Amino acid sequence: MTQDAIAADRSSVATGDVLYSIRDLSVEYGTRAGEVAAVDRVSLDIRKGEILGLVGESGCGKSTLGKAMMRMISPPGRITQGELWFAGEDLMTVSEAQMREIRGARLGMVFQDPMTSLNPLSKIVDHLTETITTHEPSVSEAAARDRAEQLIGRLGLRVERIDDYPHQFSGGMRQRIMIALALALRADLVIADEPTTALDVIVEAQFLDLLRELRAEFDLTIIMITHNIGVVAEVADRVAVMYAGRMAELGSVDEVFLDTKHPYGQGLLRAVPNIELDGSDLYQMEGAPPNLLHTPSGCPFHPRCPHVMPICSEREPAFAEVTPGHRASCWLFQEHDGEGER
Amino acid sequence: MHPLLLSVLIFGVPAAIALGWVFLRGGGALRRYIATRVALTLPMVFVLVSVVFLVLRVMPGDVASATLGPKANAEVRQNIEETLGLDDPLVVQYARFLGQVATFDLGDSFVGARRPVVDELGERLPATLELVLPAAGVAIALGLVLGASAAGHRRRLRDYAVRMFGVVVYSMPVFWLGMLAKGVFSIWLGWTPVAGRIDVLANATLERTTNLLVVDSILSGNWEALRSALHHMVLPVLTLGVSISGLFARLVRINVIETLQQDYVAAARARGLRERTVVGAYAVRNAMIPVVTVIGLQVAILLAGTVLTEAVFNWPGMGLYLVERIKVRDFQAVQSAVAMFALLVAAIGLAVDVVYGVLDPRVEY
Amino acid sequence: MSRIGILLIVLGGLAVLAAIGVGTAWLAVRRRRSRYAWFFLGMLILPLAVLALLPARDPVPVGAGGEVLVEVRGLRKWFPVQKGFIANLLSRGHTDYVKAVDDVSFTIKRGEVLGLAGESGSGKSTVGRLVLRLLDPTEGEVVVDGVDLARLDKENLRVYRHKMQVVFQDPLASLNPRMTVGQAIEHPAQIHLPDTTPEERKRLVFELLDAVGMSPPDFFYSKYPHQVSGGQRQRIVLARALITQPDLIVADEPIASADVSVQALLLELMIKLKDEFDLTYLFITHDLATTKYICDRIGIMYLGKIVEIGPLQEVFENPQHPYTRALLSAVPVPDPRHRRTEPLPTGEIPNPINPPPGCNFHPRCPIAAAGVCDGELPSLRPVPGSEDHLVSCHLRTGDHTHLDPARTGGPSA
Ligand SMILES: Nc1ncnc2c1ncn2[C@@H]1O[C@H](COP(=O)(O)OP(=O)(O)O)[C@@H](O)[C@H]1O
Ligand SMILES: Nc1ncnc2c1ncn2[C@@H]1O[C@H](COP(=O)(O)OP(=O)(O)O)[C@@H](O)[C@H]1O
Ligand code: SF4
Ligand SMILES: [Mg+2]
Ligand SMILES: [Mg+2]
């Protein structure tokens, strides 16, 4: 696919139907020190056919949000509130057995570390056929193998290698196998949690190219969770920025990168080394990401914010639209009557 | 055929077939590995046997004083040593013993009726096998089920119960467990026999071929003997099995918990696989790798447990035999029995290594 | 031959000369030919004079390197591949090697920052460890400040080490969890600056804490590593490295484990410290974008070799090696308008045990010329028109440049 086609692709999905809708979701982890509010009243719509980049620094709750979307939060974590609407159903209300059918078949997940996300004792082909026959019991073993071979070939691996074990593959190849597993049943939505973080830049770029091709070919919707802002700029159609378990900003890539609203996003973008810019100094953001045991009051970013106003530490801004389709949770863009000033 | 040979064959042949199957099925690297591993077993046994031979000669005491008492007549003593060949130079004795081991003729024992050691072992080894193998089965089954289910229900009642069981059983010496069991079930409740392998009456009617009583009674269709043999087996087997299962359950539990936290388990769940598949095919199988390793290292403990269990239940196996003959310094019997044990340990070690290689495709030979 | 061998031969020769001198002088005196005696006595005195002129023991010649602080020549590190006991028996003594570093040469000038970049497994960290002599090279030499580290005995090397410090990626792993921040920073000073009093050392620690931005110092002085944030831990490691007043700091992915917003702070701190303490850095990273903000020169590594090295600006603006071009173009850019310009090489880095013959990169190279690139090993040579920008590619320098598609108007690579 040419780079222009990619650009065209990006604009065409801007108005797609909503495929998955997260409503007011909260996830907490119970720890000895107290409750960690890893995801805090997050609402987000994922549109059919888009690649949504979910960015934020480590510990801001990205992975937790991704797992919650699959309803895979396990103790000590729990979903404390919210709805997860997928294809007309609130996943919070379906049974575990139904949920299991949805997982793998319609919601796929790719994890960060390709070296550890395959069973070391099973051949690649077994991973694939097992997934296929679990969800489609009528498919014979041989037919499943055929499908597995086709997929493996499509993803640029030699078909003979299907009988090899995971340790015989490099990181990039294993990540392709993970994608094959998500595609085995033609999942509608793939949640990829830092899929390229463990890969080297060239392999990462190869993987991102492949992902874009597959998106068109398989009609995929992808959530790309990453802390790498460059990766998001490269593949995402829309971007959601998370901070301290909450949504900070949401908009199209161009909006979020070129017309950044939230001061956190602005700072982050200027703090990231950019190989293309002339060596101007990097922006020095104050402080460090907060501990979610004690999320700061009001706007969680206020202790680090260069534009902080009195109200910011008092009341939490809404995650509201600044321009159509472009949201930010920041008082700079919201009406307030100065209530914070005492 | 000799019962010793028979009982070795009964377990050896299936094992050899399995080994051969793995050998033929595996790639070149695995084959070379198995071949070398088998070849290395022999020197290992040789070293063990030699060490035992030497240790016995260095040990204080000798058969003459042990049987005749310390004040024995010097001439009688001389006489005994001459007949037993104990007055020969050590090198000669050693060479003779190696020759005996190599030809599977282990000489005559030093005491009593001076029966051939092979005949004595032919009675004792089957007894031990009949105790150890079912006990190992009990331990593995119990350990797997308890360990895996505790891991699956972490920090719930079941988990705590299993952990408690593991600690108690593991820290309780097997002979004490055995006496306790005997006290309750044999003496107090009278459900099981107190000692031995079979009733005297049943024994008299049983035709012996392998000296594995269960096998013999089935072969000869002697159901009364079978009932009696099983009845005698229950308590010793359970005692030994339960005693080992504590360690096993703890090992399985901790390793399954660890594998359940691996990314590939999360990934398998994300693919919608059934929890049974996830725990069984993913977690338990991966957990077995470290478990097998540890068990392989613990075979010695298993055998020590066997010796003690035999002592408690007066079970006429190898352990009891060793204990009896060390007391009277019957070197011929002791060194032969130990050679037998060495062979057993070597065989189990070999089995563990091969299983390990088959279980884990990542193993490089 | 070893230095000691040469010394013994020289001393032996002088001793023989002296013995002849003494003997003949004695003979001459006995035979009353004293005018010869003076001549022979001269033979005795000469060797003694030479001996007296020989230095008692080589002092470590500090500062002899002049402008160049680090010089690495023909460095190799081959790790034998560990095999199981049985596999070892079966292979009958044949050993495979991981050629982690294979003929690497470079210099770092005083006050300069040399970046080493490349994908994981290319040998960057191994070079760092070799420079610090945490590993012994299989071949080649490392000269720091005019001293060949291989010539230092254990004791001298230990003393010499304070001139070179290291900062690793994971600060938590390099700090003893049971030492307070103050103790951790002070600890190397007890070894390397034995002449200082505890008070002086404490004052030094406070100054350094302040310098790395951990203020107020007395607040952090008695904290433990787990009580401070990840970024602060890396600051502590930097302070600890600085207390021995090093000339050189080898920084192996020093900011890679920090959060994005913290990375910028650490990078800025390292630049500030360099100026403040007159440091020289060997900055190892897999992230090319960060090198841009700190490095003066950069070397690109591939499969244990440096394939291109030169001033950062030049390498970034005019990359010569096809691998450098691919690497630079693959770096994700935080700007949605940016488009990649170079085609990606296919496949992944091959096994370093049996690297491809000729140019390591040729199986993946978009411009590889058959018969040239797969045969001969290219060497690092200056790019035409530049002295200190070197590249190791047949088609960019040397006799085969006519095959370069960029030159012959073929598809640009
Ligand atoms: N199993 C867990 N137990 C306790 N806290 C957790 C657990 N998993 C994540 N957290 C906490 O939840 C927060 C969000 O984590 P995560 O979703 O992994 O963030 P991200 O993926 O953005 O790095 C962090 O503060 C982390 O410490
Ligand atoms: N101690 C070691 N023993 C064996 N191989 C090693 C050792 N250290 C590094 N290697 C190998 O050397 C190569 C280079 O490693 P390294 O220097 O760590 O690369 P980088 O820092 O560029 O990622 C790798 O293939 C690695 O596996
Ligand atoms: S709400 Fe206030 S503190 Fe938060 S980002 Fe906006 S200006 Fe800064
Ligand atoms: Mg994460
Ligand atoms: Mg490294």
Side-chain angles (χ1 to χ4, degrees):
Chain A
M1 187 156 48
T2 68
Q3 299 275 346
D4 284 343
I6 294 165
D9 226 54
R10 285 184 176 190
S11 53
S12 73
V13 291
T15 52
D17 303 332
V18 172
L19 177 68
Y20 194 119
S21 179
I22 305 166
R23 294 262 156 269
D24 221 21
L25 182 79
S26 293
V27 182
E28 288 182 358
Y29 291 102
T31 66
R32 255 175 239 155
E35 295 286 315
V36 175
V39 171
D40 196 2
R41 287 160 292 143
V42 163
S43 295
L44 184 64
D45 285 346
I46 293 102
R47 297 176 187 163
K48 192 159 173 35
E50 75 174 344
I51 298 184
L52 175 76
L54 180 60
V55 283
E57 292 178 86
S58 67
C60 72
K62 307 181 296 294
S63 298
T64 305
L65 182 59
K67 273 191 235 153
M69 289 180 68
M70 306 272 297
R71 239 185 71 187
M72 278 182 52
I73 300 289
S74 51
R78 69 206 152 85
I79 297 179
T80 51
Q81 64 167 39
E83 297 162 15
L84 301 168
W85 288 92
F86 176 58
E89 246 182 323
D90 181 3
L91 298 184
M92 290 306 293
T93 61
V94 307
S95 72
E96 181 54 34
Q98 274 173 298
M99 196 60 224
R100 216 182 297 124
E101 271 166 36
I102 294 173
R103 276 186 217 126
R106 298 171 60 199
L107 292 177
M109 192 151 187
V110 176
F111 291 86
Q112 167 167 358
D113 191 350
M115 303 320 258
T116 58
S117 30
L118 292 164
N119 182 357
L121 305 188
S122 290
K123 294 175 181 172
I124 299 312
V125 65
D126 295 337
H127 281 88
L128 283 157
T129 52
E130 173 185 66
T131 309
I132 294 171
T133 52
T134 302
H135 290 285
E136 298 175 11
S138 59
V139 176
S140 74
E141 196 70 24
R145 190 185 163 95
D146 274 353
R147 262 164 75 176
E149 284 181 353
Q150 272 170 21
L151 263 175
I152 287 292
R154 171 62 194 88
L155 293 196
L157 298 167
R158 294 210 326 273
V159 173
E160 314 87 80
R161 299 211 54 192
I162 201 165
D163 283 312
D164 284 349
Y165 288 94
H167 73 276
Q168 293 162 308
F169 292 88
S170 67
M173 290 165 158
R174 289 193 215 187
Q175 210 54 308
R176 283 166 190 243
I177 295 166
M178 291 306 293
I179 286 285
L181 283 168
L183 295 180
L185 294 142
R186 300 219 158 208
D188 301 315
L189 174 65
V190 172
I191 302 169
D193 190 356
E194 310 257 5
T196 64
T197 301
L199 306 180
D200 277 312
V201 276
I202 291 180
V203 183
E204 172 178 74
Q206 290 168 343
F207 183 80
L208 295 178
D209 284 354
L210 178 73
L211 214 55
R212 273 195 292 249
E213 286 172 27
L214 294 174
R215 182 258 288 263
E217 202 175 315
F218 289 79
D219 216 7
L220 275 180
T221 306
I222 298 169
I223 299 187
M224 171 74 97
I225 299 176
T226 178
H227 70 273
N228 190 329
I229 312 240
V231 166
V232 168
E234 193 165 331
V235 294
D237 304 309
R238 287 199 308 148
V239 179
V241 183
M242 262 185 105
Y243 187 78
R246 301 180 200 168
M247 279 295 148
E249 184 157 358
L250 172 71
S252 72
V253 237
D254 289 350
E255 284 166 343
V256 172
F257 276 82
L258 307 176
D259 182 20
T260 322
K261 295 296 183 207
H262 200 287
Y264 172 64
Q266 290 174 349
L268 199 60
L269 277 174
R270 282 161 53 214
V272 178
N274 182 340
I275 198 160
E276 290 293 319
L277 287 182
D278 286 330
S280 54
D281 287 348
L282 291 175
Y283 173 68
Q284 315 271 299
M285 204 189 293
E286 295 269 316
N291 181 340
L292 299 189
L293 267 175
H294 313 285
T295 312
S297 63
C299 165
F301 186 59
H302 83 260
R304 304 173 75 188
C305 182
H307 307 295
V308 60
M309 301 170 286
I311 191 173
C312 298
S313 56
E314 303 269 321
R315 281 173 49 203
E316 196 184 338
F319 184 49
E321 277 192 335
V322 183
T323 57
H326 190 179
R327 289 170 183 271
S329 55
C330 171
W331 280 119
L332 290 173
F333 310 98
Q334 286 166 33
E335 293 287 318
H336 56 92
D337 43 19
E339 229 170 284
E341 293 149 276
R342 260 172 281 184
Chain B
M1 212 187 297
H2 198 281
L4 182 61
L5 191 59
L6 261 181
S7 59
V8 167
L9 284 185
I10 283 177
F11 297 100
V13 168
I17 289 174
L19 195 66
W21 182 72
V22 170
F23 184 85
L24 290 179
R25 192 175 143 274
L30 184 62
R31 286 185 193 184
R32 258 194 322 242
Y33 171 73
I34 292 177
T36 330
R37 189 64 186 69
V38 170
L40 280 180
T41 306
L42 284 180
M44 218 173 87
V45 171
F46 169 75
V47 168
L48 260 171
V49 163
S50 308
V51 167
V52 169
F53 178 87
L54 275 177
V55 167
L56 283 179
R57 314 291 138 159
V58 171
M59 215 165 71
D62 58 279
V63 63
S65 352
T67 41
L68 304 174
K71 297 197 182 80
N73 179 325
E75 205 171 311
V76 179
R77 178 192 290 267
Q78 174 84 31
N79 206 355
I80 288 179
E81 292 196 339
E82 228 163 77
T83 11
L84 297 181
L86 287 175
D87 55 343
D88 293 336
L90 218 54
V91 189
V92 176
Q93 291 185 44
Y94 180 56
R96 189 166 54 222
F97 175 58
L98 286 186
Q100 287 168 345
V101 171
T103 53
F104 297 104
D105 158 25
L106 298 175
D108 298 336
S109 73
F110 286 179
V111 294
R114 299 215 56 204
R115 297 174 60 207
V117 173
V118 247
D119 288 357
E120 293 189 331
L121 289 182
E123 284 157 17
R124 303 303 191 112
L125 183 69
T128 293
L129 289 177
E130 216 166 38
L131 172 63
V132 168
L133 292 170
V138 168
I140 289 171
L142 213 57
L144 263 180
V145 170
L146 291 181
S149 94
H153 298 81
R154 202 164 166 214
R155 302 226 175 85
R156 309 246 202 91
L157 183 64
R158 201 185 298 197
D159 186 27
Y160 290 118
V162 169
R163 281 161 74 182
M164 195 62 144
F165 168 82
V167 170
V168 169
V169 161
Y170 180 61
S171 51
M172 200 188 280
V174 61
F175 62 86
W176 195 53
L177 190 67
M179 308 242 259
L180 217 64
K182 200 158 87 167
V184 173
F185 295 105
S186 308
I187 297 167
W188 184 34
L189 294 173
W191 289 354
T192 54
V194 184
R197 291 177 75 193
I198 192 165
D199 288 338
V200 188
L201 270 179
N203 190 23
T205 61
L206 182 61
E207 185 187 331
R208 299 286 189 112
T209 37
T210 62
N211 279 339
L212 291 162
L213 300 187
V214 176
V215 176
D216 285 349
S217 52
I218 292 175
L219 281 182
S220 57
N222 187 340
W223 308 124
E224 175 50 31
L226 180 63
R227 195 206 56 79
S228 171
L230 288 176
H231 195 198
H232 278 79
M233 269 169 72
V234 173
L235 209 53
V237 163
L238 282 181
T239 302
L240 186 56
V242 166
S243 164
I244 304 163
S245 75
L247 172 69
F248 204 56
R250 277 163 28 132
L251 268 175
V252 170
R253 173 182 170 273
I254 195 80
N255 282 296
V256 171
I257 284 176
E258 203 158 287
T259 45
L260 277 175
Q261 283 160 356
Q262 298 296 312
D263 288 353
Y264 54 77
V265 169
R269 287 192 176 130
R271 265 178 274 135
L273 299 191
R274 271 173 230 98
E275 199 57 22
R276 196 154 31 87
T277 320
V278 171
V279 173
Y282 281 63
V284 173
R285 246 177 86 206
N286 276 286
M288 282 320 284
I289 292 170
V291 171
V292 165
T293 316
V294 176
I295 295 296
L297 296 173
Q298 304 276 349
V299 172
I301 290 187
L302 179 85
L303 291 180
T306 311
V307 173
L308 292 173
T309 311
E310 288 183 358
V312 172
F313 291 98
N314 208 8
W315 186 269
M318 303 272 291
L320 209 56
Y321 184 65
L322 260 181
V323 174
E324 288 164 6
R325 298 306 168 92
I326 285 177
K327 272 192 213 146
V328 295
R329 299 290 185 272
D330 181 350
F331 292 165
Q332 193 67 33
V334 172
Q335 65 204 16
S336 304
V338 170
M340 212 66 219
F341 267 125
L343 218 58
L344 209 66
V345 172
I348 295 174
L350 175 65
V352 165
D353 277 1
V354 171
V355 165
Y356 189 74
V358 172
L359 262 184
D360 190 348
R362 288 164 299 183
V363 172
E364 305 251 336
Y365 311 105
Chain C
M1 198 182 301
S2 75
R3 283 161 56 83
I4 292 178
I6 294 174
L7 202 69
L8 281 179
I9 288 176
V10 169
L11 284 180
L14 290 177
V16 170
L17 215 63
I20 295 172
V22 172
T24 47
W26 181 71
L27 270 178
V29 170
R30 269 194 45 162
R31 298 193 182 161
R32 291 164 206 273
R33 291 192 185 160
S34 46
R35 62 198 151 119
Y36 295 111
W38 289 116
F39 172 72
F40 291 121
L41 269 181
M43 266 175 79
L44 172 66
I45 288 163
L46 190 74
L48 286 179
V50 171
L51 270 182
L53 286 177
L54 273 180
R57 182 178 179 221
D58 305 2
V60 176
V62 173
E67 219 199 346
V68 172
L69 181 63
V70 179
E71 179 161 12
V72 165
R73 276 183 240 126
L75 206 55
R76 282 204 162 84
K77 182 71 198 183
W78 291 10
F79 292 106
V81 176
Q82 300 291 331
K83 283 182 283 193
F85 170 67
I86 289 176
N88 231 337
L89 282 185
L90 292 173
S91 63
R92 292 181 209 92
H94 171 82
T95 322
D96 285 327
Y97 290 95
V98 177
K99 295 173 182 166
V101 173
D102 202 16
D103 195 11
V104 161
S105 306
F106 58 82
T107 56
I108 314 178
K109 293 209 190 77
R110 211 175 272 283
E112 192 179 55
V113 180
L114 173 69
L116 269 189
E119 295 177 274
S120 59
S122 58
K124 308 179 297 291
S125 298
T126 308
V127 169
R129 282 162 193 269
L130 289 168
V131 166
L132 293 162
R133 270 261 151 181
L134 297 175
L135 279 176
D136 286 329
T138 309
E139 217 179 288
E141 51 197 65
V142 177
V143 180
V144 177
D145 209 4
V147 177
D148 180 353
L149 296 186
R151 301 199 175 174
L152 296 181
D153 54 29
K154 266 222 176 76
E155 183 54 26
N156 269 330
L157 182 63
R158 203 181 61 78
V159 174
Y160 204 72
R161 276 242 163 87
H162 78 264
K163 291 170 146 298
M164 313 178 285
Q165 290 291 324
V166 63
V167 177
F168 288 119
Q169 170 173 356
D170 181 5
L172 199 56
S174 23
L175 290 169
N176 181 340
R178 279 179 294 279
M179 267 194 195
T180 63
V181 169
Q183 287 168 338
I185 300 176
E186 196 194 324
H187 189 67
Q190 293 170 356
I191 300 165
H192 289 294
L193 306 173
D195 300 337
T196 50
T197 63
E199 293 74 43
E200 280 171 331
R201 288 202 291 265
K202 183 159 181 179
R203 198 170 40 77
L204 208 54
V205 172
F206 269 55
E207 279 171 21
L208 285 173
L209 275 172
D210 206 43
V212 296
M214 305 263 293
S215 37
D218 48 351
F219 173 77
F220 288 106
Y221 188 83
S222 50
K223 287 261 178 294
Y224 283 91
H226 70 266
Q227 294 171 313
V228 304
S229 75
Q232 287 170 334
R233 276 178 218 138
Q234 199 61 299
R235 288 169 190 264
I236 296 166
V237 173
L238 278 166
R240 184 180 62 177
L242 289 175
I243 199 160
T244 64
Q245 298 159 353
D247 295 329
L248 173 72
I249 289 190
V250 174
D252 191 348
E253 311 265 8
I255 63 171
S257 64
D259 271 320
V260 183
S261 63
V262 177
Q263 281 191 348
L265 300 173
L266 284 174
L267 207 56
E268 213 55 46
L269 173 68
M270 285 191 67
I271 295 169
K272 183 192 99 167
L273 292 176
K274 177 182 124 42
D275 296 337
E276 222 166 277
F277 292 84
D278 293 325
L279 298 170
T280 305
Y281 289 150
L282 176 58
F283 190 87
I284 296 170
T285 180
H286 69 276
D287 179 8
L288 277 160
T290 57
T291 61
K292 185 166 187 136
Y293 296 84
I294 186 165
C295 298
D296 302 310
R297 291 198 309 133
I298 185 158
I300 308 290
M301 288 194 72
Y302 184 75
L303 272 181
K305 294 183 189 296
I306 292 185
V307 295
E308 182 159 4
I309 186 167
L312 183 113
Q313 193 88 6
E314 252 186 76
V315 174
F316 274 29
E317 277 169 14
N318 185 20
Q320 289 295 312
H321 200 284
Y323 179 68
T324 313
R325 304 181 81 119
L327 204 57
L328 283 172
S329 132
V331 175
V333 175
D335 182 341
R337 293 164 301 187
H338 173 262
R339 293 288 173 267
R340 231 184 282 142
T341 50
E342 299 276 330
L344 290 173
T346 50
E348 292 179 48
I349 301 186
N351 187 337
I353 295 175
N354 288 310
C359 170
N360 273 338
F361 187 58
H362 86 259
R364 304 176 65 198
C365 181
I367 62 167
V372 177
C373 300
D374 48 4
E376 223 176 301
L377 190 71
S379 55
L380 263 183
R381 294 195 213 179
V383 172
S386 171
E387 272 170 38
D388 45 3
H389 182 182
L390 312 179
V391 65
S392 124
C393 171
H394 288 304
L395 304 198
R396 301 297 191 202
T397 61
D399 301 337
H400 302 286
T401 46
H402 60 280
L403 295 172
D404 186 349
R407 205 171 281 263
T408 54
S412 99

